[in-house]
Amino acid sequence: MLRPPIELTRAAGVPELPPPRMCRGGCAYEPKWDGWRCAAVVTSGSVMLQSRSFKPLAAYFPDLVVHLSALPGGTVLDGEVIRFDPTAGRTSFAALQRRVTAGRALPREARARPASFVAFDLLHDANADLRDLPLVQRRARLEAVLAGAPTALQICPQTTDYDEALLWLEAYAPLGCEGLVVKDLAGRYRRTGWWKYKIRTTDEAIIGGLVGTLASPSAVLLGRLDYQHRLRYVGHTGPLTVPQQQEIAELATLVESQGYHPWPQPLPAAWLGRFDRADPVPYVPVAPLLVAEIVVDQAYESGRWRHQARHLRVRTDMHPSEVTPWSPDEP
């Protein structure tokens, strides 16, 4: 019987969707959902949910524990906890985060916004460890284990058709799909061996601050103007290259903010998505006069990109008023 901590397979990012010939046994393509990756471990008397970083999650999802407890003892699933918001017509990552901060209101939160578990692998059934079996066999057993399960326990869609996978990129994106995960049908369950292809687009945002120093910025804080012309925080970039640091430093020196700035100083760690690091982040305020061209994924919610953007260049040819206005919904 497998018990936490369980090492979950990691997917390596790729710039292009791998064709079927890239997998020894043929490629399987699955939607990459915007939720919390975790293992579900079912014993005869309990259910454990373990995050990818080995943190226990079951206490936050009593609704899922009830459904999972009906599965045979010994079952260990790998999957994604998601919350589908029927009003928005897509998954809501914010709803998952509210589970952690709900406190005594957790039972009410679970009833009002029930979660789902989307399973994409079976690591152990009632009888044996399955991790040395090829994926195609584990998938067949997964479908047998979850046959007749309640709708809160779902099997992740999977296709071996490359053209259909390309269609899924467009069809599933509005529902909260970030891209596709690619797996070898002959592959055994190991720490590595999957690929992930994320949907990414170029966009623009206003440079509102710099992490580091004015002379040597390490990252850019991004904003957009709302319809009242207030600068709203929308995200941050990853580490800058040396040429990018030099370009931004030269331009930002001209627009360093000397007066009022609408963002708190230092920046709350939660604004950067650092829920495991509580320390706020000091930054250099910049007047909202420079526009950055960035690469972003589909994880945009409540007016912010949740994942790091990749800085491409400063758009000196663009005025901040030309940037898409801030919106709490998809840009």
Side-chain angles (χ1 to χ4, degrees):
M1 173 68 189
L2 289 177
R3 293 183 180 276
I6 297 172
E7 190 79 38
L8 300 180
T9 298
R10 306 260 174 158
V14 291
E16 297 180 353
L17 186 65
R21 67 177 182 275
M22 296 298 293
C23 302
R24 178 170 55 90
C27 289
Y29 305 90
E30 301 174 1
K32 185 183 185 305
W33 298 106
D34 186 18
W36 281 352
R37 173 84 178 279
C38 73
V41 182
V42 183
T43 66
S44 58
S46 67
V47 172
M48 291 170 279
L49 292 175
Q50 174 216 287
S51 76
R52 189 172 57 183
S53 57
F54 311 123
K55 295 181 180 179
L57 299 176
Y60 304 120
F61 297 98
D63 45 335
L64 289 182
V65 168
V66 170
H67 297 303
L68 289 164
S69 63
L71 298 179
T75 300
V76 179
L77 303 170
D78 185 0
E80 196 93 4
V81 175
I82 66 171
R83 159 62 187 167
F84 188 82
D85 184 347
T87 303
R90 57 171 291 126
T91 57
S92 171
F93 193 83
L96 299 182
Q97 294 176 324
R98 280 197 292 269
R99 294 293 187 102
V100 178
T101 59
R104 294 181 179 179
L106 179 60
R108 183 172 67 249
E109 180 70 23
R111 289 192 299 271
R113 301 175 182 86
S116 298
F117 186 89
V118 181
F120 43 71
D121 215 325
L122 180 65
L123 311 189
H124 198 288
D125 63 11
N127 302 308
D129 188 336
L130 309 179
R131 289 176 293 178
D132 280 337
L133 294 180
L135 172 63
V136 66
Q137 293 184 29
R138 300 199 308 273
R139 175 77 181 193
R141 297 198 185 194
L142 173 65
E143 293 173 352
V145 166
L146 293 185
T151 56
L153 304 182
Q154 305 173 24
I155 298 177
C156 187
Q158 183 186 92
T159 183
T160 58
D161 187 313
Y162 183 80
D163 292 333
E164 183 177 25
L166 291 176
L167 292 176
W168 281 8
L169 284 172
E170 181 176 353
Y172 281 112
L175 303 179
C177 173
E178 298 180 325
L180 296 174
V181 178
V182 186
K183 306 174 182 178
D184 188 341
L185 288 168
R188 296 179 294 175
Y189 193 92
R190 294 295 183 264
R191 185 177 182 276
T192 60
W194 297 351
W195 295 317
K196 59 182 177 183
Y197 172 71
K198 283 192 173 185
I199 305 169
R200 296 186 182 274
T201 58
T202 58
D203 214 326
E204 290 85 30
I206 300 168
I207 297 177
L210 304 175
V211 179
T213 66
L214 195 63
S216 182
S218 59
V220 174
L221 303 179
L222 304 167
R224 280 182 169 174
L225 299 174
D226 63 18
Y227 289 104
Q228 284 73 45
H229 303 288
R230 295 172 298 184
L231 184 66
R232 299 286 197 127
Y233 175 82
V234 297
H236 66 285
T237 70
L240 302 172
T241 65
V242 172
Q244 288 172 344
Q245 290 177 3
Q246 294 172 344
E247 176 195 34
I248 292 174
E250 292 174 1
L251 294 170
T253 301
L254 304 176
V255 296
E256 182 182 6
S257 179
Q258 301 295 336
Y260 168 76
H261 195 280
W263 302 344
Q265 175 70 274
L267 205 70
W271 283 33
L272 297 175
R274 298 179 179 178
F275 295 99
D276 58 340
R277 296 167 59 185
D279 294 335
V281 179
Y283 68 97
V284 178
V286 173
L289 299 174
L290 297 177
V291 176
E293 184 176 3
I294 55 177
V295 177
V296 293
D297 61 20
Q298 299 295 299
Y300 184 92
E301 188 172 25
S302 301
R304 294 178 184 172
W305 283 291
R306 291 193 297 100
H307 300 153
Q308 288 183 352
R310 180 163 60 89
H311 177 77
L312 293 179
R313 57 175 175 149
V314 177
R315 290 289 303 270
T316 55
D317 60 320
M318 285 188 67
H319 189 272
S321 63
E322 299 177 75
V323 175
T324 303
W326 176 84
S327 169
D329 303 314
E330 287 291 328

